[in-house]
Amino acid sequence: MNRDIRFLLNLQILADELIEQYQDIQFYRGLDSQTLEGVYFYNKKDRQLLPKYAYILRGTDLQNIFPKQHCSLIVLGEIPEKWKNSTHSLLQLPKETDLLDLMNQCQEAFHKHVSWAEKLQNVIIQEEGVEELCRISCSYFKNPLFVHDSQLQLISCPVWREGMIVWEKDEQTGQLITPLEDLNDFRTDREYLHTLTTEGAHIYSAELRGYRDIYVNIRDDNGTYEGRLVICEIDTPLKPGQFASAEYLAKLIRMVLSRRGHLDIPYKRALYQMLESMVQGKTFTNSEIESRIAQCKWKLTDHYVCIRMDGEEEEGNPGSAVSVCNYVETRVSGSRAFFIGNQICIIINLSVNKDYTSEIAGILRDGLFKAGVSNVFDDFTRLSHYYRQASIALEYCRKRNDTKWYYAFGDIVMDYIGDLCGSQFEPEELCACELKTLREYDEENHTELYKTLCKYILNERNTVATAAQLYVGRSTLFYRLRKIKEITGLAASDMAKPVKNLYLRFSIFIMEKHVEKGDKNYVDT
């Protein structure tokens, strides 16, 4: 048998069993390592007490021994103080306790727990599922239990009792999911949010659901939360020794789930199908979207960005788009990544991760990818619009072919507007006629009135700043402005009008975007 799936007891588990049979038991926990394979009577001839056995002995035997190595002892009678305060684990019973009866009780306890573990091990060996592991364990814990994945989607619940969650059927996946009202309760419960950070078995209080649970978080090799085993205190009281048993069961559940693939594949399939359809323009109702993204603990009105990334494999970038998506989700918290064709779409919830840019930049740099990033949005129903923004930003990122790994839509939106307008008109046809007139005048008279007007407008009609940039005196600048008004009819008061000012600034942007760099009238915008 694989030693990794053996179940070893600790003294707490024995204490839980013996407390049911004997009165006046005291337990001194010490380290209480989970190393016990059996129980023995202490023999004074033993040179050492082995950690893998619990030893039955009398209190008087402790006067002459005190091993350095941790040991587990079942002691009849008084225990010396130095033992009580040590790291050793001690179970104290009255000195008149019958030794043979005690040994029989201990043997029965070992048989009960080892028999349960062997049944679970057979499930693993025969490659059966989580349902069978849980079914066997319900009678062992004498309480109902269930397992859910990271999205609170039910994996197994062989026994249901009144008061437990009433799961609802997901119409798209056919799976049972936690109702939205319960999700909202968990999302706002501080104790529950803390439970997501824990390792090992812990108690979840009765405050929210009316009964206590033992829960164990199931995590992957990277420590990512994958789901949870929950044992409900409904039929019988929970026992301290069940913590170790719960951790063992969770370990085997994780083995089964890892063998069969990622826990939340059914949910992910439905979620990603919806996301893919949304970015391609299909509409869903608010309730449909909300119920799906709620499984990610997202809300319709959270703040998001959408990223579109090259998914094509480059030299030095092995791996499929699927592995890239998985890698993104591992590296970037609050993200969901999926691919459409050879393009990867990433959605990041900024309520979860505001500082995503360095993480994304590292992925792009390592994978030699290019990407486009949308504006921030807070209406998830309009995802397709922001996917379009990300796609446009990616196109400009490719076209510019510079050292930047990604462009945000806000970085290139004016270029996009200019190109969009330029596809219908020539720049001179689209822009303010005053600018065209001045350019023609300058060419004929070897003046710089066009450049002067551009600087004046871009400096918000600040004469001091404009004169400094043109390296001319204020008198020269005022002369040029009078000349500009004479030629074009454009006065400073016209330039101050919001719409006219915007049109002039946009016209400058369009003209300078298309002018050849060698043009003498080129203005740095």
Side-chain angles (χ1 to χ4, degrees), residues 283-332:
T283 58
F284 292 82
T285 65
N286 284 15
S287 60
E288 287 175 324
I289 299 172
E290 185 176 30
S291 64
R292 186 64 60 205
I293 66 174
Q295 301 290 338
C296 309
K297 302 180 180 62
W298 291 2
K299 299 177 183 177
L300 283 174
T301 54
D302 284 346
H303 286 79
Y304 300 90
V305 292
C306 182
I307 300 174
R308 183 167 175 179
M309 187 171 79
D310 276 325
E312 298 170 327
E313 296 180 4
E314 304 284 350
E315 184 178 354
N317 175 39
S320 65
V322 175
S323 64
V324 173
C325 290
N326 291 337
Y327 182 61
V328 168
E329 291 188 357
T330 300
R331 285 279 301 272
V332 184

Side-chain angles (χ1 to χ4, degrees), residues 451-484:
K451 183 175 182 180
T452 300
L453 178 61
C454 290
K455 289 293 185 184
Y456 184 62
I457 292 170
L458 295 178
N459 281 313
E460 298 291 354
R461 303 176 310 285
N462 184 312
T463 56
V464 174
T466 303
Q469 288 186 8
L470 293 171
Y471 301 103
V472 299
R474 293 186 67 189
S475 59
T476 300
L477 176 61
F478 287 131
Y479 167 77
R480 291 184 182 181
L481 292 176
R482 287 194 299 271
K483 193 67 175 177
I484 289 171

Side-chain angles (χ1 to χ4, degrees), residues 426-442 449-450 453-454 457 484 487-490 494 500 503-508 510-511:
E426 292 298 325
E428 290 80 2
E429 299 169 342
L430 185 67
C431 297
C433 60
E434 293 91 344
L435 295 176
K436 179 182 177 182
T437 300
L438 288 178
R439 282 173 62 85
E440 292 173 350
Y441 183 89
D442 286 345
L449 298 183
Y450 169 79
L453 178 61
C454 290
I457 292 170
I484 289 171
I487 296 170
T488 65
L490 192 62
D494 297 320
K500 184 65 175 182
Y503 182 40
L504 288 169
R505 294 175 70 90
F506 179 70
S507 298
I508 293 169
I510 294 296
M511 292 186 72

Side-chain angles (χ1 to χ4, degrees), residues 72 86 100 116 118 127-128 153 181 204-205 219 228 233 251 262 291 319 323 341 371 444 506 524:
S72 300
S86 71
L100 290 179
W116 166 71
E118 288 177 346
E127 298 190 356
E128 298 182 71
Q153 180 174 263
E181 57 268 25
Y204 183 55
S205 75
R219 301 184 182 278
R228 178 173 292 182
E233 190 180 41
K251 176 182 178 180
H262 200 276
S291 64
S323 64
E444 294 176 1
F506 179 70
D524 183 7

Side-chain angles (χ1 to χ4, degrees), residues 97-319:
T97 302
D98 183 273
L99 284 173
L100 290 179
D101 181 66
L102 176 60
M103 174 59 82
N104 288 337
Q105 294 295 335
C106 289
Q107 294 285 12
E108 287 182 13
F110 267 94
H111 175 75
K112 169 186 173 181
H113 295 281
V114 171
S115 176
W116 166 71
E118 288 177 346
K119 291 177 182 177
L120 299 186
Q121 291 158 15
N122 285 334
V123 171
I124 300 297
I125 293 169
Q126 295 172 17
E127 298 190 356
E128 298 182 71
V130 174
E131 184 73 14
E132 186 63 13
L133 291 175
C134 292
R135 187 192 64 78
I136 292 169
S137 298
C138 282
S139 57
Y140 170 80
F141 287 103
K142 297 181 180 178
N143 274 312
L145 57 87
F146 62 90
V147 178
H148 65 69
D149 66 12
S150 60
Q151 315 303 330
L152 276 77
Q153 180 174 263
L154 187 66
I155 294 175
S156 174
C157 180
V159 175
W160 186 86
R161 293 283 189 271
E162 189 70 33
M164 293 174 65
I165 294 173
V166 181
W167 289 277
E168 297 177 347
K169 187 174 182 180
D170 187 310
E171 295 300 327
Q172 292 192 30
T173 65
Q175 302 294 115
L176 294 175
I177 60 173
T178 302
L180 185 58
E181 57 268 25
D182 289 302
L183 285 175
N184 290 333
D185 288 342
F186 290 137
R187 189 182 296 129
T188 57
D189 183 64
R190 290 187 177 181
E191 182 186 6
Y192 177 79
L193 295 176
H194 172 71
T195 68
L196 299 174
T197 67
T198 60
E199 303 283 346
H202 296 271
I203 287 286
Y204 183 55
S205 75
E207 184 175 344
L208 186 62
R209 303 213 56 82
Y211 56 83
R212 300 190 306 163
D213 297 325
I214 289 178
Y215 73 91
V216 186
N217 290 331
I218 301 170
R219 301 184 182 278
D220 65 14
D221 293 335
N222 297 316
T224 303
Y225 177 70
E226 294 276 317
R228 178 173 292 182
L229 164 67
V230 180
I231 302 164
C232 307
E233 190 180 41
I234 292 180
D235 292 347
T236 62
L238 297 172
K239 300 177 182 179
Q242 291 178 335
F243 280 47
S245 301
E247 290 175 2
Y248 178 70
L249 175 57
K251 176 182 178 180
L252 299 190
I253 289 170
R254 181 183 180 280
M255 290 177 65
V256 171
L257 294 171
S258 297
R259 184 174 63 201
R260 297 190 175 191
H262 200 276
L263 293 181
D264 55 4
I265 282 177
Y267 167 75
K268 276 193 170 183
R269 186 180 301 116
L271 170 66
Y272 293 165
Q273 284 175 350
M274 182 192 75
L275 294 178
E276 290 170 17
S277 297
M278 286 183 70
V279 299
Q280 292 171 341
K282 183 177 179 180
T283 58
F284 292 82
T285 65
N286 284 15
S287 60
E288 287 175 324
I289 299 172
E290 185 176 30
S291 64
R292 186 64 60 205
I293 66 174
Q295 301 290 338
C296 309
K297 302 180 180 62
W298 291 2
K299 299 177 183 177
L300 283 174
T301 54
D302 284 346
H303 286 79
Y304 300 90
V305 292
C306 182
I307 300 174
R308 183 167 175 179
M309 187 171 79
D310 276 325
E312 298 170 327
E313 296 180 4
E314 304 284 350
E315 184 178 354
N317 175 39

